C-alpha cells in the first residue's frame, strides 16, 4: 500500500491578523520542524517524494525538517485564507474575530458552516473549490510510487479527513481546531480511496522537556 504522510507546518506568526504576516515560522516553529526531522531520521522513516504547498511556512517547515532539496511544490496544497473569510464574516454578519484560541473554538465552526452554505458573499475561493483542489492534489500524489511526505496546513488536513470520514463542515472545523503544529497524519490508499492510519501525532514533542512545544496556534 502507498502511504501519504501529511505534516502541519510548525508554529507560524501567532500575532498576525492577515495572511501575509502569518506566513512565516516562529523560532519555535523552526525548532518543532527540526525535532520532527530528527525523529524521522532516528526511526529510519524515509520518503521517495516530498511535496509542499507554495506558502512560505510550508517550505520553511520542509527545509527545517531536512527535506529542502528536490521539493515538489504544489499550490493546491495551500491553506484556505482564513483571515479573508473571517474579515468577510465580520463585515457581512458582524462576527468578531477572536483574539485567543478559546474564541476560535466557536468562531471556526461558524465560519466553516457559512462558507460551505454559501452565506459568505464573494469569498476569495468557494468551499467547493477548496475541497476540490485538495482532493485533486491528494489523488495525484496517491497515484505516484513510494511513500510521500507533504508539508501543508491544518485546513488541508481537515479537508482530507472530511473526505475520508464524510464529515460535515462543523465536524471538519472541530478536526481542524485540534491539529497541532508539526503534527503527523498518515493515510494509506486502498481500492482507490484514502484511509486514515495516524492522526495528530507528535512523537517528537512527547518528552517532558518538549511538551511546552505542543502548540495549536
Amino acid at each position: 500500500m502507498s502511504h501519504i504522510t501529511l505534516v502541519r507546518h510548525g508554529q507560524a506568526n501567532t500575532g498576525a491578523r492577515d495572511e501575509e504576516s502569518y506566513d512565516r515560522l516562529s523560532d519555535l516553529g523552526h525548532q518543532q520542524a527540526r525535532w520532527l526531522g530528527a525523529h524521522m531520521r532516528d526511526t529510519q522513516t524515509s520518503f521517495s517524494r516530498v511535496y509542499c504547498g507554495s506558502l512560505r511556512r510550508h517550505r520553511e517547515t520542509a527545509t527545517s525538517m531536512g527535506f529542502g532539496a528536490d521539493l515538489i511544490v504544489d499550490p493546491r496544497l495551500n491553506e484556505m485564507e482564513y483571515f479573508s473569510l473571517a474579515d468577510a464574516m465580520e463585515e457581512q454578519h458582524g462576527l468578531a474575530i477572536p483574539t485567543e484560541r478559546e474564541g476560535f473554538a466557536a468562531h471556526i465552526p461558524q465560519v466553516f458552516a457559512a462558507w460551505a452554505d454559501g452565506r459568505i458573499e464573494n469569498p476569495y475561493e468557494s468551499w467547493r473549490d477548496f475541497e476540490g483542489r485538495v482532493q485533486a492534489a491528494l489523488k495525484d500524489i496517491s497515484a505516484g510510487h513510494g511513500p510521500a511526505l507533504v508539508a501543508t496546513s491544518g485546513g488541508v488536513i481537515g479537508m482530507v479527513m472530511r473526505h475520508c470520514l464524510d464529515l460535515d463542515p462543523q465536524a471538519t472545523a472541530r478536526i481542524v481546531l485540534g491539529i497541532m503544529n508539526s503534527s503527523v497524519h498518515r493515510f494509506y490508499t486502498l481500492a482507490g480511496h484514502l484511509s486514515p492510519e495516524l492522526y495528530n501525532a507528535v512523537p517528537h514533542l512527547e518528552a517532558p522537556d518538549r511538551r511546552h512545544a505542543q502548540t495549536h496556534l
Side-chain angles (χ1 to χ4, degrees):
M1 292 182 293
S2 177
H3 285 82
I4 300 175
T5 299
L6 304 183
V7 171
R8 185 190 175 197
H9 61 79
Q11 184 190 64
N13 178 18
T14 59
R17 288 298 177 267
D18 61 76
E19 301 294 337
E20 183 177 359
S21 299
Y22 181 72
D23 193 26
R24 64 177 186 272
L25 294 192
S26 66
D27 290 342
L28 177 58
H30 281 287
Q31 182 62 72
Q32 290 166 334
R34 285 193 292 268
W35 279 332
L36 178 55
H39 172 78
M40 288 180 168
R41 288 186 290 275
D42 289 345
T43 56
Q44 299 182 15
T45 305
S46 60
F47 303 94
S48 58
R49 301 165 289 146
V50 181
Y51 298 81
C52 71
S54 63
L55 298 176
R56 175 178 172 177
R57 60 189 183 272
H58 298 160
R59 292 175 180 268
E60 289 182 342
T61 297
T63 299
S64 288
M65 288 175 66
F67 295 105
D70 301 318
L71 273 176
I72 302 169
V73 179
D74 189 338
R76 295 178 299 177
L77 298 166
N78 285 356
E79 179 65 296
M80 70 186 79
E81 293 186 10
Y82 190 78
F83 288 110
S84 297
L85 295 169
D87 286 340
M89 282 292 291
E90 187 166 34
E91 292 172 6
Q92 297 173 25
H93 300 284
L95 183 66
I97 301 173
T99 58
E100 55 188 19
R101 182 171 182 268
E102 288 71 18
F104 282 102
H107 190 265
I108 292 178
Q110 292 180 75
V111 172
F112 273 33
W115 188 25
D117 290 344
R119 289 185 282 111
I120 298 178
E121 296 181 7
N122 301 315
Y124 78 99
E125 179 181 34
S126 72
W127 171 274
R128 185 181 298 274
D129 286 346
F130 177 54
E131 183 174 29
R133 68 171 164 88
V134 170
Q135 289 183 12
L138 269 291
K139 181 178 179 180
D140 289 347
I141 294 171
S142 298
H145 298 289
L149 175 70
V150 178
T152 184
S153 291
V156 172
I157 296 167
M159 274 296 185
V160 176
M161 292 294 289
R162 165 178 161 81
H163 180 63
C164 291
L165 303 177
D166 195 25
L167 302 174
D168 64 30
Q170 290 191 319
T172 303
R174 291 192 290 272
I175 284 284
V176 171
L177 276 164
I179 296 175
M180 288 188 281
N181 296 117
S182 74
S183 55
V184 178
H185 312 254
R186 189 164 59 242
F187 302 81
Y188 63 89
T189 55
L190 185 63
H193 297 281
L194 285 177
S195 295
E197 184 179 66
L198 185 69
Y199 166 75
N200 213 25
V202 285
H204 57 300
L205 304 178
E206 295 291 356
D209 62 344
R210 294 185 185 179
R211 289 177 188 162
H212 70 281
Q214 294 181 9
T215 60
H216 293 84
L217 295 177

